[in-house]
Amino acid sequence: MPFENPDNQRRREMLEQAKVIAVVGCSDNSERTSYMIAQALQNAGYRIIPVNPVIAGQTVLGEKVRASLLEITEPVDIVDVFRRSEVVMPVAEDAVQMNPRPKVLWMQEGVVNEAACALASEHGIEVVMDRCIKVDHALLVPKKGK
């Protein structure tokens, strides 16, 4: 059976219930999409945890960059993945080893990995593939005070 993303209502619930989002592949370059989306999520009220082994230990958007998901010691609600489709499996493998596990593995627009999806799903992690979390947030989550 081909993969189908959770419907709009479920993705809205995921975003409304989330507080902490690990951004895998987050850049320290403010011109990069991963940085801009992490910043938008932070501005929307989420705590972001940047994950990038190349700049681990540095600070991005006021948060310490971790080398991998396994360095994160606090609960993460969503793992947002900015990596090429063919290298998502190690991210999924790390996600299933996290304690507690994240609720959602979210692959950004253009990122699709069926094997990583299957692994995460087998371990009780919901999966979203090939969707921009910032766009979904803007479309699905009502603005506060409106």
Side-chain angles (χ1 to χ4, degrees):
M1 188 160 107
F3 174 81
E4 282 189 34
N5 277 314
D7 65 19
N8 288 352
Q9 176 61 35
R10 182 64 196 125
R11 291 194 323 279
R12 176 186 300 116
E13 291 167 358
M14 291 171 174
L15 292 165
E16 288 177 339
Q17 293 167 3
K19 292 177 177 43
V20 179
I21 300 176
V23 183
V24 177
C26 188
S27 176
D28 59 351
N29 179 344
S30 63
E31 301 294 313
R32 299 292 302 261
T33 303
S34 62
Y35 180 99
M36 290 186 271
I37 290 178
Q39 185 174 46
L41 292 169
Q42 193 177 57
N43 290 342
Y46 298 101
R47 162 122 192 271
I48 62 113
I49 301 175
V51 178
N52 184 332
V54 177
I55 56 171
Q58 296 180 31
T59 302
V60 171
L61 297 167
E63 296 283 349
K64 180 182 170 194
V65 181
R66 313 299 166 82
S68 82
L69 290 172
L70 298 178
E71 286 187 10
I72 300 172
T73 56
E74 64 197 88
V76 168
D77 299 300
I78 298 174
V79 172
D80 186 25
V81 184
F82 284 91
R83 302 284 291 132
R84 291 186 322 276
S85 297
E86 62 271 18
V87 293
V88 172
M89 183 54 96
V91 177
E93 290 169 344
D94 284 355
V96 302
Q97 290 181 53
M98 293 174 77
N99 187 14
R101 288 187 187 119
K103 296 175 182 75
V104 179
L105 179 67
W106 193 301
M107 297 179 225
Q108 278 297 133
E109 191 170 358
V111 182
V112 175
N113 187 311
E114 296 278 349
C117 170
L119 178 68
S121 296
E122 287 166 13
H123 288 85
I125 300 172
E126 287 188 86
V127 178
V128 176
M129 286 197 291
D130 194 23
R131 294 199 65 92
C132 177
I133 195 169
K134 178 180 180 281
V135 170
D136 268 10
H137 187 274
L139 293 174
L140 301 174
V141 179
K143 304 274 187 285
K144 300 270 191 269
K146 296 217 173 189

